[in-house]
């Protein structure tokens, strides 16, 4: 249950082992948290600062595997970390040397020192007065929604049955054992049972809701943290710029400003949230915080009028103790209920494959399936990008026929990234997309108009009215 990074990873892992596998997702693949990341596959320099060596090491190994298994989607990205004092320079340099060491035998470039002038050559708009030097290091960048579709495509190729817009309404309990789910097709309204030897709950921010279908008194596993991002024009960092890491912020995080699809992506925040929400909103205060923090490092400050899109996602963090969400663990947890429901939660995109491996190991044990070792460490994902010269109509057709897109939002938010890159431009495309999608799916004119209205309302939350 769940079609984000973790659920799709689980479906692929199980199918690749030869187990008969079905996945249901209540909305679209990667609809919630999994399409709202900072687009980085990384060990996490912040976690290294917190002393979480095991998490960083695991993530660095997964970074290498993903760069090999999804070469068209995951690629190396260089970062500049400016330092303004001798202590800062020594601290960042030593920390990133440790980061290199934890990467082991990695194809990524090792960190090195740069003069202020050299740093400015990599980020032309970087403010260099009083800068002592900078450290340049490498991590990986990706398109989260595209990777989700690659996972779905590969799982399907391995025999998994995968459906979006199918919601789990209840769990089937036979005696004391969870033995399936009652699902509803949200397009047709049909309800049906899915029988299973074992059910894996990979519902992300809705994990606790699925657990309470079995046990209404189940204590919460999760705390939620909102992470917001803004998208600015590419010239904010300068022509041909590499990425910037701001190592110290007021909320205890680091801040990234990275080139992404001919834009500049800036994020993220860490604000406690109190309930699961697939469409949280970046607040005005968060937008101001991101701009003001970034502008301290730029020669030419960006303003709110430069913001092309602003969006947010909720992180499902494992609740271990009362602590600010910035300090809650990004490690994952496997929980097996008395009835055998296997829940996998926590973690992050970088470690989705290992999360899936651990979850399917536990699920196979619960179901007493024939043991089969995980094979995803070296499993290349099926990935292909539609030609860039496709017309909008052709791109919509491709999304519907080959990527299971069912709505205008699916196309403009996740099959293309238009909504996340420029909300107003995406809103302007909505009528043409709705028309092409209606023809492809055999929908009526009323459906088409409803889709345009719904997407317009959504785009306004991202800044689409500006």
């Amino acid at each position: 249950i769940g079609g984000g990074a973790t659920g799709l990873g689980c479906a692929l892992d199980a199918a690749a082992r030869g187990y008969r596998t079905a996945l249901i997702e209540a909305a679209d693949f990667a609809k919630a948290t999994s399409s709202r990341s900072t687009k980085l596959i990384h060990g996490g320099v912040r976690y290294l600062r917190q002393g979480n060596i095991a998490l960083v090491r695991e993530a660095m190994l997964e970074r290498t595997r993903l760069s090999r298994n999804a070469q068209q989607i995951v690629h190396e990205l260089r970062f500049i970390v400016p330092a303004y004092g001798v202590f800062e320079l020594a601290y960042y340099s030593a920390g990133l040397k440790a980061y290199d060491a934890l990467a082991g035998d990695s194809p990524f470039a090792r960190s090195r020192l740069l003069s202020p002038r050299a740093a400015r050559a990599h980020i032309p708009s970087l403010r260099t007065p009083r800068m002592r030097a900078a450290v340049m290091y490498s991590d990986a960048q990706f398109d989260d929604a595209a990777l989700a579709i690659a996972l779905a495509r590969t799982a399907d190729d391995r025999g998994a049955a995968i459906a979006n817009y199918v919601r789990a309404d209840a769990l089937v309990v036979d005696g004391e054992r969870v033995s399936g789910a009652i699902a509803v097709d949200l397009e047709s309204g049909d309800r049906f049972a899915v029988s299973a030897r074992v059910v894996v709950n990979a519902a992300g921010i809705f994990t606790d809701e699925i657990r309470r279908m079995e046990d209404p008194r189940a204590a919460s596993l999760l705390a939620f943290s909102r992470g917001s991002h803004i998208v600015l024009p590419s010239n904010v960092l300068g022509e041909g710029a590499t990425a910037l890491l701001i190592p110290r912020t007021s909320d205890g995080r680091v801040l990234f400003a990275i080139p992404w699809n001919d834009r500049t992506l800036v994020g993220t925040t860490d604000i406690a949230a109190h309930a699961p929400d697939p469409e949280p909103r970046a607040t005005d205060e968060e937008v101001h915080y991101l701009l003001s923090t970034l502008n301290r490092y730029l020669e030419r400050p960006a303003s709110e009028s430069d913001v092309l899109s602003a969006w947010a996602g909720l992180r499902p963090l494992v609740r271990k103790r009362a602590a600010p969400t910035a300090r809650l663990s990004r490690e994952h947890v496997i929980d097996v209920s008395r009835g055998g429901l296997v829940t996998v939660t926590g973690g992050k995109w970088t470690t989705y494959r290992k999360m899936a491996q651990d979850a399917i190991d536990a699920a196979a044990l619960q179901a007493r399936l024939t043991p089969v070792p995980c094979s995803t460490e070296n499993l290349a994902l099926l990935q292909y990008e539609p030609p860039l010269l496709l017309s909008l109509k052709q791109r919509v057709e491709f999304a519907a026929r080959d990527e299971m897109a069912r709505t205008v939002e699916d196309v403009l938010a996740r099959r293309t990234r238009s909504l996340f890159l420029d909300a107003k431009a995406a809103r302007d495309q909505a009528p043409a997309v709705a028309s092409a999608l209606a023809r492809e799916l055999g929908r009526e004119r009323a459906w088409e108009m409803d889709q345009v209205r719904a997407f317009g309302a959504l785009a306004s939350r991202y800044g689409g009215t500006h």
Side-chain angles (χ1 to χ4, degrees):
I1 299 172
T6 307
L8 290 166
C10 288
L12 173 56
D13 187 302
R17 298 190 202 205
Y19 300 144
R20 290 204 302 165
T21 305
L23 177 148
I24 56 174
E25 159 58 44
D28 186 29
F29 305 121
K31 155 69 178 175
T33 307
S34 294
S35 62
R36 299 156 194 271
S37 75
T38 313
K39 322 306 175 198
L40 296 178
I41 298 295
H42 62 142
V45 292
R46 184 166 65 92
Y47 311 133
L48 182 63
R49 188 172 70 197
Q50 293 172 350
N52 198 336
I53 303 300
L55 176 61
V56 175
R57 172 63 176 164
E58 178 179 89
M60 295 294 251
L61 293 175
E62 293 301 320
R63 183 189 72 171
T64 297
R65 291 175 181 132
L66 256 178
S67 69
R68 181 177 64 240
N69 294 337
Q71 294 181 14
Q72 295 179 34
I73 298 173
V74 179
H75 58 87
E76 185 173 2
L77 180 66
R78 304 286 178 89
F79 289 82
I80 301 294
V81 185
Y84 295 89
V86 174
F87 174 78
E88 270 191 357
L89 181 60
Y91 181 72
Y92 301 153
S93 181
L96 288 167
K97 288 298 182 187
Y99 198 64
D100 293 340
L102 289 170
D105 184 16
S106 166
F108 291 80
R110 302 302 197 190
S111 61
R112 61 190 178 94
L113 292 177
L114 296 178
S115 67
R117 182 176 180 180
R120 181 75 175 265
H122 287 279
I123 303 179
S125 65
L126 186 64
R127 180 180 293 171
T128 55
R130 301 190 307 279
M131 184 187 296
R132 174 73 61 168
V135 184
M136 184 164 72
Y137 77 99
S138 289
D139 253 322
Q141 184 178 28
F142 79 129
D143 186 320
D144 45 18
L147 185 55
I149 295 299
L151 289 170
R153 192 188 304 281
T154 312
D156 172 77
D157 183 68
R158 291 302 177 109
I162 295 179
N164 53 357
Y165 294 100
V166 175
R167 185 182 67 221
D169 265 6
L171 295 177
V172 176
V173 180
D174 183 8
E176 294 186 350
R177 296 287 299 175
V178 174
S179 60
I182 302 299
V184 58
D185 182 329
L186 296 179
E187 292 186 349
S188 68
D190 292 342
R191 291 173 63 85
F192 56 95
V194 183
S195 297
R197 296 273 292 276
V198 63
V199 176
V200 176
N201 171 15
I205 58 176
F206 298 105
T207 289
D208 284 332
E209 294 186 11
I210 301 299
R211 293 173 60 243
R212 288 175 185 138
M213 290 180 181
E214 178 193 8
D215 178 5
R217 296 170 299 177
S220 296
L221 276 179
L222 299 183
F224 305 108
S225 165
R226 185 176 66 249
S228 293
H229 298 79
I230 57 174
V231 176
L232 303 168
S234 60
N235 61 11
V236 165
L237 294 180
E239 185 69 27
T242 188
L244 171 68
L245 183 147
I246 297 171
R248 294 183 184 277
T249 64
S250 59
D251 67 350
R253 297 185 59 83
V254 299
L255 192 73
F256 296 100
I258 63 176
W260 183 52
N261 286 322
D262 198 33
R263 304 286 194 277
T264 300
L265 173 62
V266 182
T268 180
T269 60
D270 203 322
I271 308 296
H274 304 293
D277 181 357
E279 198 63 67
R281 189 169 191 167
T283 65
D284 292 343
E285 291 78 11
E286 288 173 289
V287 171
H288 175 76
Y289 158 79
L290 292 171
L291 284 170
S292 61
T293 303
L294 175 65
N295 283 340
R296 291 199 293 269
Y297 293 81
L298 301 180
E299 288 285 359
R300 298 180 301 278
S303 69
E304 291 188 9
S305 64
D306 293 314
V307 175
L308 300 170
S309 187
W311 38 271
L314 296 188
R315 306 175 185 91
L317 305 180
V318 178
R319 183 192 297 273
K320 290 186 176 179
R321 61 188 184 279
T325 56
R327 293 205 300 272
L328 287 180
S329 175
R330 264 52 171 179
E331 294 174 289
H332 65 274
V333 164
I334 307 295
D335 175 79
V336 181
S337 74
R338 290 181 62 184
L341 176 68
V342 175
T343 293
V344 52
T345 193
K348 57 180 185 169
W349 247 118
T350 303
T351 56
Y352 85 86
R353 192 209 63 81
K354 183 60 166 62
M355 295 172 67
Q357 177 180 338
D358 292 348
I360 300 306
D361 283 348
L365 184 65
Q366 282 295 311
R368 299 180 181 177
L369 301 176
T370 302
V372 179
C374 175
S375 63
T376 57
E377 285 188 9
N378 300 301
L379 178 60
L381 301 182
L382 295 180
Q383 40 183 323
Y384 59 90
E385 290 293 328
L388 296 177
L389 297 180
L390 287 180
S391 67
L392 180 61
K393 176 177 177 293
Q394 290 170 323
R395 183 64 184 94
V396 173
E397 292 170 350
F398 180 87
R401 295 172 188 175
D402 295 278
E403 299 176 322
M404 294 179 71
R406 308 298 295 173
T407 70
V408 169
E409 180 191 338
D410 295 348
V411 174
L412 289 176
R414 289 172 292 278
R415 304 308 184 273
T416 71
R417 304 316 305 270
S418 299
L419 178 62
F420 287 78
L421 291 166
D422 189 328
K424 182 180 184 303
R427 186 190 60 180
D428 293 344
Q429 288 180 308
V433 170
S435 176
L437 195 59
R439 285 194 298 271
E440 185 63 29
L441 299 180
R443 304 298 193 190
E444 302 291 339
R445 175 67 174 171
W447 179 91
E448 183 181 331
M449 299 304 294
D450 285 345
Q451 285 285 303
V452 172
R453 282 192 292 270
F455 187 80
L458 178 64
S460 68
R461 295 172 60 89
Y462 287 62
T465 59
H466 296 318

